[in-house]
């Protein structure tokens, strides 16, 4: 019998829950707005309980969550959303609440690490061991794998907040990041585009100067990630990257900024295969949650206590 | 009987070769200038042959080399120095030449990854799985571990070349990097300090404005590495960091730049233990070569063919 898993993509504005065995076999799906933790988590639990009645037992649940998160398995607050400004959600034992309610192993990671895992299992990063996944949407976030494992470290990456060159004469916009002003997120996220130009990204035509500037900032971030991590591939997802005309602009700018320094055919000859959209498209996140559930079962003997 | 290993720290201006079983047991050491590949490698081989006659057989040799290097074990040019501008050394089969001459397993990695490995085995990074080691000397380089393994990826990190904010009014210096001008290395390496101020770093007094500026640029690089990798610790070595008064300046600036974003006691309360000098000091590199030799024996069954 096919093993079934549950996935929760927990975003700041909505939750998506799915049940299935992989991208080609999704048995049920629901979405609802993110309200209070108690109400929203209860709604997810209710969905999985009803699906279990219908489809039989699940093996595990995966949660791909907005952050910041505590991912340290040795920490007393492992599985928590920690210091988010989202009202009511700071210090929420998210993974614990799901595990207790459903009595199942729970995989838990950032939305971007989950999306990276989905792309590794089923998408653009198959066979790689070191790559990153960026989402450029309302904000900018990044995750990925190094040496075949998801990136954690002290906390987890917060790739959107790189400090970059900002030519104030060419672009006097002060930046939209409440913490840093003109960090990468502050200069290049969807909110920054809207604030700078007075229109949301999807309302700007392809020939608008917004896009050259956007490509420039994203390319600055990308070269810094290349120099730091030497990824085998970079996947660019999120709402802003729905503007497919951005890809050639970014690729050209990345090559210009590298200045011939990085001697790899992956970048010098095949950059179209190096800087790519997610194969799973907008589904990377929720399928990543499913992939986290699968990982949770594989590693359950190591860390899971019912 | 104690197992003995050989280590080669291959720098652009000199080679250091040691023989021993660890930091407390170095049996022999020699250093000589880096001339042509044939002559320099032959000199290293001659040293190890003489030492083998004296001390008995070695288990393996480790090479901590200037780069860029080919570290891809599946590549036909694995073990080569690749595109270095250093005359005569481009496309040199360094690891292969040593392995063939001495008929021993050879470990091979960048000087900075080797130094990171030494600090992990014997120094500031014991017990960690994700940390970085930076050297700020004539140039700037970085390596480290993520998820318990040295950082490789597509090629290997080139951390010195980050693009950073550069306030041209406050610091009109154009930068010293031949590829990028004012990247981190271009603004903050030892050569940049000397070009900007007309005196080498060690000739500038502690109250000179050079140091605030230096701390500012290094802190910009450090926050970008923190956001990208979330390291558990950052080790700062190299000639410029011999100026110990730089550490408190850098720590303060890192905290200012983070802007309260990163909520970890490691940074907010214990930054003195977070941004640290190498415990092994100037010996990190050559001891790293020895550590690479030890790793080569451990993984010999996986990849080594005599």
């Amino acid at each position: 019998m096919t093993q079934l898993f549950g996935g929760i993509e927990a975003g700041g504005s909505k939750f998506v829950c799915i049940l299935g065995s992989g991208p080609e076999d999704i048995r049920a799906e629901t979405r609802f707005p993110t309200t209070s933790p108690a109400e929203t988590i209860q709604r997810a639990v209710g969905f999985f309980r009803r699906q279990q009645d219908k489809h039989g037992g699940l093996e595990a649940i995966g949660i791909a969550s907005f952050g910041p998160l505590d991912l340290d398995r040795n920490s007393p607050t492992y599985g928590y959303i920690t210091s988010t400004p989202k009202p009511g959600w700071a210090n929420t034992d998210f993974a614990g609440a799901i595990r207790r309610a459903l009595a199942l192993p729970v995989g838990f990671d950032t939305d971007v690490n989950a999306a990276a895992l989905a792309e590794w299992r089923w998408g653009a990063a198959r066979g790689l061991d070191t790559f990153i996944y960026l989402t450029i949407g309302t904000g900018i976030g990044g995750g990925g794998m190094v040496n075949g494992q998801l990136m954690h470290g002290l906390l987890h990456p917060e790739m959107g907040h790189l400090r970059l060159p900002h030519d104030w004469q060419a672009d006097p916009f002060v930046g939209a990041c409440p913490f840093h002003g003109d960090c990468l997120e502050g200069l290049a996220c969807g909110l920054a585009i809207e604030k700078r130009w007075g229109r949301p990204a999807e309302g700007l035509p392809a020939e608008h100067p917004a896009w050259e500037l956007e490509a420039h900032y994203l390319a600055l971030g990308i070269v810094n990630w290349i120099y730091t991590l030497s990824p085998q591939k970079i996947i660019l997802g999120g709402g802003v990257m729905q503007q497919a005309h951005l890809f050639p602009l970014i690729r050209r700018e990345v090559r210009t900024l590298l200045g011939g320094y990085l001697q790899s055919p992956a970048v010098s000859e095949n950059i179209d295969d190096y800087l790519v959209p997610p194969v799973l498209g907008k589904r990377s996140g929720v399928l990543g949650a499913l992939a986290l559930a699968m990982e949770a079962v594989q590693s359950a003997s190591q860390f899971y206590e019912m």
Side-chain angles (χ1 to χ4, degrees), chain A:
Chain A
M1 216 178 94
T2 309
Q3 290 190 320
L4 292 179
F5 301 87
I8 303 172
E9 184 185 23
S13 59
K14 72 170 189 296
F15 269 44
V16 184
C17 300
I18 60 172
L19 178 119
S21 68
E24 309 300 327
D25 176 34
I26 301 301
R27 309 280 175 94
E29 177 161 348
T30 187
R31 50 188 67 209
F32 42 85
T34 308
T35 58
S36 73
E39 183 183 44
T40 319
I41 290 172
Q42 194 46 49
R43 220 163 150 178
V45 167
F47 168 76
F48 290 115
R49 283 199 178 131
R50 286 192 302 279
Q51 297 305 322
Q52 283 194 310
D53 291 344
K54 197 166 157 187
H55 297 280
L58 296 177
E59 303 296 320
I61 303 285
I63 303 172
S65 181
F66 68 99
L69 309 178
D70 186 344
L71 301 175
D72 176 2
R73 294 191 192 284
N74 299 314
S75 159
T77 54
Y78 168 75
Y80 280 54
I81 293 180
T82 58
S83 59
T84 178
K86 187 161 175 65
W89 283 85
N91 306 310
T92 293
D93 181 10
F94 192 175
I98 294 289
R99 193 183 63 219
R100 285 187 297 273
L102 294 168
L104 289 171
V106 170
F108 184 66
D109 216 313
T110 61
D111 42 10
V112 277
N113 264 349
L117 185 65
E119 290 291 326
W120 177 78
R121 226 178 225 277
W122 300 301
R126 270 176 285 194
L128 305 183
D129 60 47
T130 299
F131 68 94
I132 56 175
Y133 175 98
L134 281 305
T135 178
I136 299 104
T138 313
I140 295 182
M145 270 190 186
V146 175
N147 294 324
Q149 291 179 62
L150 294 176
M151 296 174 70
H152 292 155
L154 181 67
L155 301 169
H156 50 70
E158 292 282 358
M159 295 194 192
H161 296 278
L162 294 193
R163 309 304 283 254
L164 298 174
H166 174 193
D167 181 341
W168 287 87
Q169 276 200 297
D171 174 27
F173 180 59
V174 295
C177 174
F179 292 92
H180 313 115
D182 66 342
C183 66
L184 172 61
E185 176 169 300
L187 291 170
C189 70
L191 186 64
I193 297 174
E194 183 166 351
K195 282 195 174 180
R196 183 190 286 109
W197 302 105
R199 270 185 288 173
E202 60 270 27
L204 296 165
E207 67 278 10
H208 194 283
W211 299 114
E212 284 283 352
L213 192 66
E214 180 70 10
H216 174 66
Y217 289 130
L218 293 176
L220 283 166
I222 287 166
V223 299
N224 282 3
W225 294 316
I226 290 174
Y227 285 133
T228 301
L229 285 163
S230 198
Q232 295 154 332
K233 191 168 284 205
I234 297 176
I235 305 169
L236 300 170
V240 172
M241 295 311 299
Q242 297 298 310
Q243 313 287 325
H245 59 85
L246 258 176
F247 278 92
L249 300 181
I250 294 170
R251 290 178 186 129
R252 193 193 59 206
E253 186 73 0
V254 164
R255 276 215 285 230
T256 302
L257 287 169
L258 287 173
Y261 187 74
L262 202 77
Q263 302 214 352
S264 168
V267 176
S268 58
E269 293 164 28
N270 305 312
I271 198 165
D272 289 0
D273 295 324
Y274 187 72
L275 291 169
V276 298
V279 164
L280 304 170
K282 295 177 177 176
R283 304 285 284 170
S284 292
V286 70
L287 290 170
L290 209 64
L292 286 171
M294 295 173 178
E295 298 277 315
V297 170
Q298 283 164 14
S299 58
S301 58
Q302 289 166 42
F303 68 85
Y304 175 65
E305 295 173 10
M306 187 75 80

